Amino acid sequence: MEIDPFIFRLSIFILSIFIGYYVVWSVTPSLHTPLMSVTNAISSVIIVGAIIAALAGSSESVFDVSSIFGFLAIVLAAINIFGGFLVTQRMLQMYKKKKDKKK
Amino acid sequence: MISSNLSAIFYLISGILFILALRGLSSPDTSRQGNYFGIAGMIIAIVVTFLSVGNFSNSLVYVVIFLLVGGAIGAFIAFRIPMTAMPELVAGFHSLVGLAAVFVAIAAFLNPEAFNLGIVGGIKLASLIEMSIGAAVGAITFSGSIIAFLKLRGIMSGSPITFGGQHFLNLTLGIGIFVLIYYLCITQSANIFWTVIMISFIVGVLLIIPIGGADMPVVISMLNSYSGWAAAGIGFTLENTALIITGALVGSSGAILSYIMCKAMNRSFVSVILGGFGADSSSDTTKEKKDQKPVKSGNAEDAAFLMKNASSVIIVPGYGMAVAQAQHALREMVDKLKKNDIKVTYAIHPVAGRMPGHMNVLLAEANVPYDEVFELEDINNDFANSDVAFVIGANDVTNPVAKTDPKSPIFGMPVLDVEKCKSVLFVKRSLSPGYAGIDNELFYKDNTLMLFADAKKMTEDIVKNLE
């Protein structure tokens, strides 16, 4: 019997939780705030769903009921992607070692 | 147009790049590179999506316009936001992820053909369950984060809002959501779908209002986790590997952070969620104590004198430092001390501030090298060998009661052993207790000198006196 593709996705999901578990435990506590802002940015990869929804409108009617929700989601996710990565970058630039500072 | 197999491979690559982005954060040296991995992963995911849909009509132009509008807003916020406002910003961003998840789920529900999920009124069962769970979790994340944002911003009072039957109501609504999803699967009715989303919005509000201001580190981490699970739910609906991987990563990341925060407060996750901390702990004995016990208070001159004659100083920053924006003045003070060959280090409690790592970011902003900043377990033994502890804006995390009084609400919470220092300088505006509602014994110790003033002003005065 063939395995349902759902099971494959579930396997990816479960394994990713384990990867997340080990990777996040190794994050140094001083970088926990950047961790939150970067996880924020990457979870906005949900924008792929928004793009699919937005592009689904036909060329005569770019904005139908469902594509409008897609467009709105694109704006929200884009705020997060740009805002999240840039603010993370801004924070990480500030972390300096003693040596860099003095000489 | 590229084949769906090829695009799946690219989504996998972007998922891996996201893992590397988090991996980079294991040290400040590799963190910047990690962030670039994250950006690369995002670009790959977006470009592949354009190519796989392969629709290059007018719609594409609008998509790019909306993308850039959102991007411009995001970039503007990212450059303008002060570092002290980081907790609100993160809460605000969580709400956007949540709402985006809801919108994508709605779009998929209204136009399932676009996502290959069947037809209107005949959506595949599994997809319907996945999208309604994604929408429900997204809605809870959205409204919960809005409340967290309002509380952090000070627009809404940080004190817990509780009422009778609250937990019962939450439970009922929670079960209601599952029952409705069950009926949604049978009837495919749009009205039930809308109801599920509406109830979830309400649940989000109800979940966060009973949680007090200082439990915010847990709440933010928890909402971080929720936004991940919402993304994963949508990822299953869209059968998209990048989203599933990312959702799982973010979900577990937020869960771990919540766990670390709870542990640092010695509270169970459940008790934080049920909320109302501090409401019942205002025992009358503390008030009597306050009247009886003498407190030594001093001024900037005394503090400067004490520190000048010390050979080692440990700084203990807390949320009050963030509120007063005192980190730059503090850094100036430390520079002066270092010129006199005094060893200065910083001690940070995991729950200092309003979100995980909040103090570290503020100190980094003030150009404090990160290798002078230590976590609780790494520095706690050093207090006994140090001359002066300079507590600025922290309170409960230094309270020795947590080690001595089993009746205290914070008993068992790991605290910084500030009292072991030869002398303690405690910058605080008044003797009022911290958020836990309990008196800090440290105020009345013989070796404690209270400096009653605004944190920033006091630090600046000390700097002047160090000249």
Side-chain angles (χ1 to χ4, degrees):
Chain A
M1 203 186 122
E2 214 180 322
I3 299 171
D4 190 319
F6 172 79
I7 301 301
F8 286 117
R9 285 190 280 277
L10 189 67
S11 318
I12 294 172
F13 180 64
I14 305 282
L15 291 175
S16 301
I17 291 177
F18 277 91
I19 293 173
Y21 180 85
Y22 289 108
V23 169
V24 172
W25 270 117
S26 72
V27 171
T28 165
S30 67
L31 290 176
H32 275 161
T33 298
L35 171 68
M36 299 199 95
S37 61
V38 84
T39 49
N40 227 311
I42 63 171
S43 57
S44 304
V45 72
I46 199 156
I47 199 169
V48 302
I51 293 173
I52 296 172
L55 288 179
S58 56
S59 15
E60 303 92 66
S61 62
V62 175
F63 298 99
D64 61 19
V65 193
S66 99
S67 74
I68 285 175
F69 279 108
F71 280 112
L72 291 175
I74 287 178
V75 176
L76 298 178
I79 294 176
N80 249 320
I81 292 171
F82 282 73
F85 281 125
L86 288 172
V87 90
T88 309
Q89 194 67 17
R90 218 183 113 194
M91 277 192 270
L92 295 177
Q93 298 294 358
M94 300 186 313
Y95 283 82
K96 291 188 190 92
K97 259 194 188 160
K98 215 180 315 188
K99 283 176 229 144
D100 308 1
K101 192 61 210 159
K102 279 191 175 164
K103 279 158 200 174
Chain B
M1 182 124 181
I2 55 176
S3 82
S4 40
N5 283 336
L6 190 58
S7 55
I9 300 279
F10 278 113
Y11 285 134
L12 179 63
I13 293 173
S14 90
I16 291 168
L17 286 168
F18 291 151
I19 295 172
L20 294 176
L22 298 192
R23 183 78 187 97
L25 290 171
S26 56
S27 111
D29 296 329
T30 55
S31 59
R32 272 157 284 212
Q33 190 196 18
N35 202 35
Y36 292 127
F37 282 134
I39 295 171
M42 188 61 71
I43 293 172
I44 291 177
I46 292 176
V47 170
V48 167
T49 309
F50 281 134
L51 294 178
S52 64
V53 175
N55 172 352
F56 297 108
S57 64
N58 291 345
S59 300
L60 185 71
V61 180
Y62 285 102
V63 167
V64 173
I65 291 173
F66 278 78
L67 192 79
L68 293 179
V69 168
I73 299 171
F76 179 77
I77 297 172
F79 286 119
R80 294 298 300 273
I81 192 90
M83 285 299 146
T84 40
M86 207 47 72
E88 299 89 292
L89 179 76
V90 169
F93 279 168
H94 286 154
S95 72
L96 298 183
V97 179
L99 194 59
V102 174
F103 284 169
V104 172
I106 293 175
F109 185 79
L110 295 175
N111 188 2
E113 289 100 331
F115 296 91
N116 262 328
L117 305 175
I119 51 162
V120 179
I123 300 173
K124 281 188 284 182
L125 182 65
S127 309
L128 198 57
I129 297 173
E130 289 154 4
M131 76 172 72
S132 38
I133 291 176
V137 180
I140 292 173
T141 312
F142 170 70
S143 56
S145 301
I146 292 286
I147 300 294
F149 175 83
L150 294 176
K151 284 193 171 193
L152 287 165
R153 192 84 230 180
I155 299 169
M156 207 174 134
S157 153
S159 52
I161 301 169
T162 48
F163 53 87
Q166 195 165 23
H167 304 318
F168 180 73
L169 179 65
N170 289 349
L171 189 68
T172 316
L173 289 175
I175 294 171
I177 290 176
F178 282 102
V179 173
L180 283 172
I181 291 178
Y182 175 76
Y183 280 107
L184 176 65
C185 293
I186 297 173
T187 60
Q188 302 253 353
S189 145
N191 285 337
I192 296 184
F193 185 69
W194 299 119
T195 319
V196 166
I197 293 176
M198 282 305 140
I199 294 181
S200 304
F201 279 134
I202 297 169
V203 170
V205 173
L206 290 174
L207 268 182
I208 307 301
I209 54 168
I211 303 181
D215 278 340
M216 277 304 154
V218 183
V219 171
I220 297 194
S221 319
M222 188 179 83
L223 290 167
N224 187 239
S225 182
Y226 285 0
S227 70
W229 304 131
I234 302 296
F236 274 103
T237 319
L238 307 183
E239 310 184 344
N240 184 304
T241 333
L243 254 176
I244 295 176
I245 295 177
T246 315
L249 289 178
V250 177
S252 54
S253 158
I256 290 172
L257 288 177
S258 321
Y259 171 80
I260 295 175
M261 294 300 115
C262 285
K263 214 167 159 230
M265 294 195 287
N266 190 37
R267 308 193 54 204
S268 75
F269 189 66
V270 177
S271 76
V272 173
I273 298 304
L274 297 182
F277 193 41
D280 53 4
S281 57
S282 52
S283 55
D284 39 17
T285 48
T286 51
K287 276 183 196 116
E288 282 167 32
K289 261 193 216 160
K290 201 181 284 181
D291 299 331
Q292 292 164 0
K293 284 197 184 175
V295 170
K296 276 200 288 183
S297 85
N299 56 26
E301 218 176 306
D302 305 330
F305 178 79
L306 254 174
M307 284 197 275
K308 238 188 222 167
N309 292 305
S311 60
S312 57
V313 174
I314 300 181
I315 314 256
V316 181
Y319 183 58
M321 181 190 81
V323 174
Q325 302 259 23
Q327 66 270 32
H328 298 283
L330 184 68
R331 154 87 193 182
E332 241 181 277
M333 185 187 93
V334 171
D335 282 346
K336 286 260 154 58
L337 292 175
K338 278 198 207 148
K339 259 186 214 149
N340 293 332
D341 280 332
I342 298 165
K343 186 179 166 246
V344 187
T345 45
Y346 300 80
I348 302 205
H349 192 275
V351 292
R354 284 293 184 265
M355 74 183 292
H358 191 188
M359 289 300 124
N360 303 80
V361 172
L362 294 181
L363 293 176
E365 188 200 11
N367 280 321
V368 172
Y370 65 81
D371 39 10
E372 287 176 12
V373 183
F374 296 92
E375 302 297 317
L376 173 95
E377 60 267 33
D378 299 326
I379 200 168
N380 229 1
N381 294 328
D382 295 354
F383 281 106
N385 309 321
S386 294
D387 297 322
V388 178
F390 185 75
V391 183
I392 175 165
N395 187 359
D396 291 328
V397 297
T398 63
N399 197 340
V401 160
K403 289 175 287 191
T404 53
D405 180 8
K407 273 179 283 177
S408 164
I410 61 167
F411 181 72
M413 167 171 135
V415 288
L416 292 158
D417 297 333
V418 173
E419 79 282 359
K420 289 188 183 151
C421 258
K422 287 202 191 82
S423 44
V424 178
L425 294 169
F426 210 112
V427 185
K428 204 168 178 312
R429 260 185 283 203
S430 68
L431 274 182
S432 61
Y435 85 89
I438 45 168
D439 218 14
N440 193 339
E441 265 187 17
L442 202 56
F443 300 165
Y444 314 107
K445 295 254 180 198
D446 289 337
N447 58 347
T448 305
L449 189 66
M450 298 298 294
L451 307 168
F452 292 113
D454 172 74
K456 188 177 180 187
K457 193 163 177 305
M458 176 53 76
T459 317
E460 284 167 349
D461 287 349
I462 295 174
V463 173
K464 275 182 213 139
N465 279 290
L466 281 172
E467 303 278 335

mmCIF file of all heavy atoms in Angstrom, chain B residues 239-280:
data_model
loop_
_atom_site.group_PDB
_atom_site.id
_atom_site.type_symbol
_atom_site.label_atom_id
_atom_site.label_comp_id
_atom_site.label_asym_id
_atom_site.label_seq_id
_atom_site.Cartn_x
_atom_site.Cartn_y
_atom_site.Cartn_z
ATOM 1 N N GLU B 239 0.916 22.270 1.698
ATOM 2 C CA GLU B 239 1.862 21.195 1.385
ATOM 3 C C GLU B 239 3.229 21.783 1.061
ATOM 4 O O GLU B 239 3.885 21.403 0.089
ATOM 5 C CB GLU B 239 1.320 20.356 0.222
ATOM 6 C CG GLU B 239 -0.125 19.936 0.475
ATOM 7 C CD GLU B 239 -0.690 19.022 -0.595
ATOM 8 O OE1 GLU B 239 -0.082 18.961 -1.668
ATOM 9 O OE2 GLU B 239 -1.717 18.383 -0.327
ATOM 10 N N ASN B 240 3.640 22.736 1.868
ATOM 11 C CA ASN B 240 4.887 23.458 1.606
ATOM 12 C C ASN B 240 5.934 23.138 2.676
ATOM 13 O O ASN B 240 5.759 23.428 3.860
ATOM 14 C CB ASN B 240 4.587 24.957 1.585
ATOM 15 C CG ASN B 240 5.803 25.779 1.228
ATOM 16 O OD1 ASN B 240 6.827 25.668 1.885
ATOM 17 N ND2 ASN B 240 5.698 26.570 0.193
ATOM 18 N N THR B 241 7.041 22.528 2.227
ATOM 19 C CA THR B 241 8.071 22.078 3.165
ATOM 20 C C THR B 241 8.718 23.231 3.924
ATOM 21 O O THR B 241 8.961 23.123 5.122
ATOM 22 C CB THR B 241 9.197 21.342 2.419
ATOM 23 O OG1 THR B 241 8.661 20.782 1.242
ATOM 24 C CG2 THR B 241 9.797 20.276 3.273
ATOM 25 N N ALA B 242 8.992 24.334 3.220
ATOM 26 C CA ALA B 242 9.666 25.468 3.879
ATOM 27 C C ALA B 242 8.830 25.938 5.065
ATOM 28 O O ALA B 242 9.359 26.193 6.153
ATOM 29 C CB ALA B 242 9.875 26.609 2.896
ATOM 30 N N LEU B 243 7.526 26.042 4.854
ATOM 31 C CA LEU B 243 6.649 26.508 5.923
ATOM 32 C C LEU B 243 6.568 25.508 7.069
ATOM 33 O O LEU B 243 6.546 25.899 8.235
ATOM 34 C CB LEU B 243 5.243 26.737 5.369
ATOM 35 C CG LEU B 243 4.808 28.181 5.180
ATOM 36 C CD1 LEU B 243 3.448 28.240 4.539
ATOM 37 C CD2 LEU B 243 4.780 28.892 6.518
ATOM 38 N N ILE B 244 6.525 24.225 6.728
ATOM 39 C CA ILE B 244 6.434 23.209 7.784
ATOM 40 C C ILE B 244 7.698 23.229 8.638
ATOM 41 O O ILE B 244 7.641 23.251 9.870
ATOM 42 C CB ILE B 244 6.205 21.803 7.183
ATOM 43 C CG1 ILE B 244 4.841 21.753 6.494
ATOM 44 C CG2 ILE B 244 6.290 20.729 8.263
ATOM 45 C CD1 ILE B 244 4.560 20.448 5.785
ATOM 46 N N ILE B 245 8.855 23.255 7.971
ATOM 47 C CA ILE B 245 10.128 23.267 8.716
ATOM 48 C C ILE B 245 10.200 24.519 9.590
ATOM 49 O O ILE B 245 10.478 24.444 10.792
ATOM 50 C CB ILE B 245 11.339 23.236 7.752
ATOM 51 C CG1 ILE B 245 11.373 21.914 6.992
ATOM 52 C CG2 ILE B 245 12.643 23.440 8.522
ATOM 53 C CD1 ILE B 245 12.487 21.815 5.960
ATOM 54 N N THR B 246 9.919 25.669 8.979
ATOM 55 C CA THR B 246 10.021 26.923 9.728
ATOM 56 C C THR B 246 9.061 26.947 10.900
ATOM 57 O O THR B 246 9.422 27.340 12.007
ATOM 58 C CB THR B 246 9.696 28.114 8.806
ATOM 59 O OG1 THR B 246 10.368 27.924 7.580
ATOM 60 C CG2 THR B 246 10.126 29.401 9.431
ATOM 61 N N GLY B 247 7.821 26.519 10.641
ATOM 62 C CA GLY B 247 6.833 26.497 11.713
ATOM 63 C C GLY B 247 7.312 25.655 12.880
ATOM 64 O O GLY B 247 7.214 26.057 14.044
ATOM 65 N N ALA B 248 7.873 24.491 12.581
ATOM 66 C CA ALA B 248 8.356 23.610 13.645
ATOM 67 C C ALA B 248 9.518 24.257 14.393
ATOM 68 O O ALA B 248 9.584 24.199 15.627
ATOM 69 C CB ALA B 248 8.788 22.276 13.056
ATOM 70 N N LEU B 249 10.424 24.892 13.645
ATOM 71 C CA LEU B 249 11.575 25.552 14.290
ATOM 72 C C LEU B 249 11.110 26.652 15.231
ATOM 73 O O LEU B 249 11.515 26.714 16.392
ATOM 74 C CB LEU B 249 12.481 26.199 13.236
ATOM 75 C CG LEU B 249 13.322 25.319 12.332
ATOM 76 C CD1 LEU B 249 14.077 26.189 11.343
ATOM 77 C CD2 LEU B 249 14.295 24.509 13.170
ATOM 78 N N VAL B 250 10.256 27.528 14.712
ATOM 79 C CA VAL B 250 9.807 28.672 15.501
ATOM 80 C C VAL B 250 8.967 28.199 16.679
ATOM 81 O O VAL B 250 9.103 28.692 17.792
ATOM 82 C CB VAL B 250 9.016 29.653 14.608
ATOM 83 C CG1 VAL B 250 8.483 30.804 15.425
ATOM 84 C CG2 VAL B 250 9.875 30.168 13.485
ATOM 85 N N GLY B 251 8.116 27.208 16.415
ATOM 86 C CA GLY B 251 7.293 26.665 17.492
ATOM 87 C C GLY B 251 8.134 26.127 18.625
ATOM 88 O O GLY B 251 7.905 26.447 19.795
ATOM 89 N N SER B 252 9.161 25.329 18.296
ATOM 90 C CA SER B 252 9.950 24.768 19.391
ATOM 91 C C SER B 252 10.836 25.836 20.017
ATOM 92 O O SER B 252 11.058 25.819 21.234
ATOM 93 C CB SER B 252 10.750 23.549 18.944
ATOM 94 O OG SER B 252 11.541 23.838 17.834
ATOM 95 N N SER B 253 11.285 26.796 19.218
ATOM 96 C CA SER B 253 12.101 27.868 19.777
ATOM 97 C C SER B 253 11.327 28.643 20.845
ATOM 98 O O SER B 253 11.807 28.858 21.959
ATOM 99 C CB SER B 253 12.541 28.806 18.652
ATOM 100 O OG SER B 253 12.882 30.059 19.158
ATOM 101 N N GLY B 254 10.105 29.035 20.500
ATOM 102 C CA GLY B 254 9.286 29.766 21.464
ATOM 103 C C GLY B 254 8.988 28.939 22.702
ATOM 104 O O GLY B 254 9.010 29.442 23.823
ATOM 105 N N ALA B 255 8.750 27.633 22.489
ATOM 106 C CA ALA B 255 8.434 26.775 23.624
ATOM 107 C C ALA B 255 9.627 26.681 24.567
ATOM 108 O O ALA B 255 9.487 26.737 25.791
ATOM 109 C CB ALA B 255 8.025 25.388 23.130
ATOM 110 N N ILE B 256 10.843 26.559 23.998
ATOM 111 C CA ILE B 256 12.039 26.459 24.835
ATOM 112 C C ILE B 256 12.247 27.759 25.619
ATOM 113 O O ILE B 256 12.531 27.747 26.818
ATOM 114 C CB ILE B 256 13.278 26.132 23.984
ATOM 115 C CG1 ILE B 256 13.166 24.702 23.464
ATOM 116 C CG2 ILE B 256 14.556 26.297 24.785
ATOM 117 C CD1 ILE B 256 14.227 24.348 22.455
ATOM 118 N N LEU B 257 12.071 28.885 24.935
ATOM 119 C CA LEU B 257 12.239 30.161 25.627
ATOM 120 C C LEU B 257 11.229 30.303 26.767
ATOM 121 O O LEU B 257 11.580 30.751 27.859
ATOM 122 C CB LEU B 257 12.085 31.327 24.647
ATOM 123 C CG LEU B 257 13.230 31.526 23.661
ATOM 124 C CD1 LEU B 257 12.923 32.656 22.704
ATOM 125 C CD2 LEU B 257 14.528 31.814 24.388
ATOM 126 N N SER B 258 9.982 29.895 26.526
ATOM 127 C CA SER B 258 8.998 29.964 27.605
ATOM 128 C C SER B 258 9.454 29.116 28.785
ATOM 129 O O SER B 258 9.346 29.521 29.939
ATOM 130 C CB SER B 258 7.625 29.435 27.173
ATOM 131 O OG SER B 258 7.316 29.812 25.893
ATOM 132 N N TYR B 259 9.970 27.926 28.463
ATOM 133 C CA TYR B 259 10.433 27.032 29.521
ATOM 134 C C TYR B 259 11.568 27.679 30.323
ATOM 135 O O TYR B 259 11.559 27.675 31.561
ATOM 136 C CB TYR B 259 10.894 25.708 28.898
ATOM 137 C CG TYR B 259 11.597 24.799 29.872
ATOM 138 C CD1 TYR B 259 10.871 24.025 30.771
ATOM 139 C CD2 TYR B 259 12.985 24.721 29.899
ATOM 140 C CE1 TYR B 259 11.512 23.202 31.677
ATOM 141 C CE2 TYR B 259 13.641 23.904 30.798
ATOM 142 C CZ TYR B 259 12.895 23.142 31.677
ATOM 143 O OH TYR B 259 13.537 22.337 32.572
ATOM 144 N N ILE B 260 12.543 28.269 29.612
ATOM 145 C CA ILE B 260 13.684 28.898 30.294
ATOM 146 C C ILE B 260 13.191 30.028 31.206
ATOM 147 O O ILE B 260 13.624 30.162 32.351
ATOM 148 C CB ILE B 260 14.699 29.461 29.268
ATOM 149 C CG1 ILE B 260 15.329 28.317 28.470
ATOM 150 C CG2 ILE B 260 15.776 30.277 29.959
ATOM 151 C CD1 ILE B 260 16.247 28.784 27.355
ATOM 152 N N MET B 261 12.238 30.828 30.690
ATOM 153 C CA MET B 261 11.719 31.949 31.473
ATOM 154 C C MET B 261 10.979 31.468 32.709
ATOM 155 O O MET B 261 11.136 32.007 33.793
ATOM 156 C CB MET B 261 10.771 32.797 30.615
ATOM 157 C CG MET B 261 11.437 33.510 29.473
ATOM 158 S SD MET B 261 12.720 34.635 30.034
ATOM 159 C CE MET B 261 14.159 33.869 29.331
ATOM 160 N N CYS B 262 10.158 30.436 32.534
ATOM 161 C CA CYS B 262 9.409 29.913 33.682
ATOM 162 C C CYS B 262 10.367 29.391 34.740
ATOM 163 O O CYS B 262 10.183 29.611 35.930
ATOM 164 C CB CYS B 262 8.499 28.759 33.254
ATOM 165 S SG CYS B 262 7.066 29.319 32.387
ATOM 166 N N LYS B 263 11.406 28.689 34.288
ATOM 167 C CA LYS B 263 12.358 28.121 35.209
ATOM 168 C C LYS B 263 13.076 29.233 35.980
ATOM 169 O O LYS B 263 13.317 29.124 37.174
ATOM 170 C CB LYS B 263 13.372 27.278 34.448
ATOM 171 C CG LYS B 263 13.800 26.109 35.270
ATOM 172 C CD LYS B 263 14.535 25.073 34.498
ATOM 173 C CE LYS B 263 15.336 24.263 35.486
ATOM 174 N NZ LYS B 263 16.725 24.144 35.063
ATOM 175 N N ALA B 264 13.382 30.320 35.288
ATOM 176 C CA ALA B 264 14.089 31.423 35.921
ATOM 177 C C ALA B 264 13.211 32.122 36.943
ATOM 178 O O ALA B 264 13.697 32.885 37.769
ATOM 179 C CB ALA B 264 14.551 32.418 34.860
ATOM 180 N N MET B 265 11.911 31.898 36.893
ATOM 181 C CA MET B 265 11.023 32.494 37.891
ATOM 182 C C MET B 265 10.527 31.443 38.868
ATOM 183 O O MET B 265 9.719 31.749 39.740
ATOM 184 C CB MET B 265 9.837 33.163 37.199
ATOM 185 C CG MET B 265 10.247 34.356 36.360
ATOM 186 S SD MET B 265 8.852 35.376 35.920
ATOM 187 C CE MET B 265 8.076 34.354 34.720
ATOM 188 N N ASN B 266 10.969 30.225 38.687
ATOM 189 C CA ASN B 266 10.517 29.109 39.490
ATOM 190 C C ASN B 266 8.996 28.999 39.466
ATOM 191 O O ASN B 266 8.353 28.800 40.490
ATOM 192 C CB ASN B 266 10.998 29.230 40.936
ATOM 193 C CG ASN B 266 10.750 27.963 41.713
ATOM 194 O OD1 ASN B 266 10.872 26.876 41.169
ATOM 195 N ND2 ASN B 266 10.373 28.094 42.972
ATOM 196 N N ARG B 267 8.397 29.187 38.316
ATOM 197 C CA ARG B 267 6.952 29.067 38.218
ATOM 198 C C ARG B 267 6.645 28.032 37.159
ATOM 199 O O ARG B 267 7.386 27.864 36.203
ATOM 200 C CB ARG B 267 6.340 30.404 37.799
ATOM 201 C CG ARG B 267 6.794 31.545 38.678
ATOM 202 C CD ARG B 267 5.953 32.750 38.445
ATOM 203 N NE ARG B 267 4.556 32.424 38.607
ATOM 204 C CZ ARG B 267 3.582 33.112 38.044
ATOM 205 N NH1 ARG B 267 3.863 34.135 37.290
ATOM 206 N NH2 ARG B 267 2.332 32.766 38.234
ATOM 207 N N SER B 268 5.509 27.367 37.342
ATOM 208 C CA SER B 268 5.150 26.401 36.319
ATOM 209 C C SER B 268 4.482 27.149 35.181
ATOM 210 O O SER B 268 3.892 28.210 35.372
ATOM 211 C CB SER B 268 4.204 25.352 36.886
ATOM 212 O OG SER B 268 2.930 25.908 37.045
ATOM 213 N N PHE B 269 4.590 26.589 34.002
ATOM 214 C CA PHE B 269 4.006 27.209 32.826
ATOM 215 C C PHE B 269 2.505 27.412 33.042
ATOM 216 O O PHE B 269 1.953 28.465 32.733
ATOM 217 C CB PHE B 269 4.265 26.304 31.620
ATOM 218 C CG PHE B 269 3.894 26.937 30.328
ATOM 219 C CD1 PHE B 269 4.580 28.041 29.862
ATOM 220 C CD2 PHE B 269 2.849 26.435 29.572
ATOM 221 C CE1 PHE B 269 4.236 28.637 28.664
ATOM 222 C CE2 PHE B 269 2.510 27.021 28.370
ATOM 223 C CZ PHE B 269 3.200 28.119 27.926
ATOM 224 N N VAL B 270 1.876 26.394 33.630
ATOM 225 C CA VAL B 270 0.431 26.457 33.846
ATOM 226 C C VAL B 270 0.061 27.649 34.729
ATOM 227 O O VAL B 270 -0.869 28.398 34.439
ATOM 228 C CB VAL B 270 -0.071 25.142 34.486
ATOM 229 C CG1 VAL B 270 -1.560 25.225 34.790
ATOM 230 C CG2 VAL B 270 0.209 23.976 33.559
ATOM 231 N N SER B 271 0.835 27.872 35.799
ATOM 232 C CA SER B 271 0.469 28.955 36.704
ATOM 233 C C SER B 271 0.652 30.316 36.047
ATOM 234 O O SER B 271 -0.069 31.265 36.353
ATOM 235 C CB SER B 271 1.267 28.867 38.006
ATOM 236 O OG SER B 271 2.574 29.317 37.806
ATOM 237 N N VAL B 272 1.603 30.425 35.125
ATOM 238 C CA VAL B 272 1.755 31.695 34.400
ATOM 239 C C VAL B 272 0.537 31.918 33.509
ATOM 240 O O VAL B 272 -0.041 32.996 33.461
ATOM 241 C CB VAL B 272 3.043 31.702 33.548
ATOM 242 C CG1 VAL B 272 3.092 32.946 32.675
ATOM 243 C CG2 VAL B 272 4.258 31.655 34.437
ATOM 244 N N ILE B 273 0.140 30.864 32.812
ATOM 245 C CA ILE B 273 -0.983 30.971 31.883
ATOM 246 C C ILE B 273 -2.262 31.310 32.635
ATOM 247 O O ILE B 273 -3.080 32.112 32.182
ATOM 248 C CB ILE B 273 -1.176 29.633 31.125
ATOM 249 C CG1 ILE B 273 0.058 29.324 30.318
ATOM 250 C CG2 ILE B 273 -2.382 29.695 30.223
ATOM 251 C CD1 ILE B 273 0.456 30.410 29.362
ATOM 252 N N LEU B 274 -2.430 30.682 33.804
ATOM 253 C CA LEU B 274 -3.651 30.968 34.559
ATOM 254 C C LEU B 274 -3.628 32.382 35.107
ATOM 255 O O LEU B 274 -4.661 32.966 35.382
ATOM 256 C CB LEU B 274 -3.835 29.959 35.696
ATOM 257 C CG LEU B 274 -4.028 28.522 35.221
ATOM 258 C CD1 LEU B 274 -4.256 27.589 36.392
ATOM 259 C CD2 LEU B 274 -5.190 28.420 34.232
ATOM 260 N N GLY B 275 -2.419 32.926 35.277
ATOM 261 C CA GLY B 275 -2.274 34.356 35.524
ATOM 262 C C GLY B 275 -2.594 34.811 36.933
ATOM 263 O O GLY B 275 -2.755 34.012 37.864
ATOM 264 N N GLY B 276 -2.648 36.133 37.086
ATOM 265 C CA GLY B 276 -3.005 36.721 38.371
ATOM 266 C C GLY B 276 -1.880 36.736 39.379
ATOM 267 O O GLY B 276 -2.127 36.789 40.575
ATOM 268 N N PHE B 277 -0.635 36.718 38.923
ATOM 269 C CA PHE B 277 0.480 36.699 39.857
ATOM 270 C C PHE B 277 0.562 38.020 40.614
ATOM 271 O O PHE B 277 0.395 39.083 40.043
ATOM 272 C CB PHE B 277 1.788 36.475 39.099
ATOM 273 C CG PHE B 277 2.949 36.140 39.995
ATOM 274 C CD1 PHE B 277 2.797 35.288 41.069
ATOM 275 C CD2 PHE B 277 4.195 36.671 39.742
ATOM 276 C CE1 PHE B 277 3.864 34.971 41.880
ATOM 277 C CE2 PHE B 277 5.281 36.358 40.551
ATOM 278 C CZ PHE B 277 5.107 35.506 41.620
ATOM 279 N N GLY B 278 0.844 37.945 41.907
ATOM 280 C CA GLY B 278 1.014 39.161 42.691
ATOM 281 C C GLY B 278 -0.281 39.641 43.302
ATOM 282 O O GLY B 278 -0.284 40.431 44.234
ATOM 283 N N ALA B 279 -1.393 39.174 42.802
ATOM 284 C CA ALA B 279 -2.675 39.656 43.293
ATOM 285 C C ALA B 279 -2.933 39.192 44.718
ATOM 286 O O ALA B 279 -3.511 39.906 45.522
ATOM 287 C CB ALA B 279 -3.794 39.179 42.378
ATOM 288 N N ASP B 280 -2.467 37.982 45.045
ATOM 289 C CA ASP B 280 -2.828 37.422 46.344
ATOM 290 C C ASP B 280 -1.659 37.439 47.326
ATOM 291 O O ASP B 280 -1.751 36.902 48.405
ATOM 292 C CB ASP B 280 -3.335 35.981 46.168
ATOM 293 C CG ASP B 280 -2.363 35.128 45.385
ATOM 294 O OD1 ASP B 280 -1.270 35.644 45.055
ATOM 295 O OD2 ASP B 280 -2.664 33.973 45.116
#
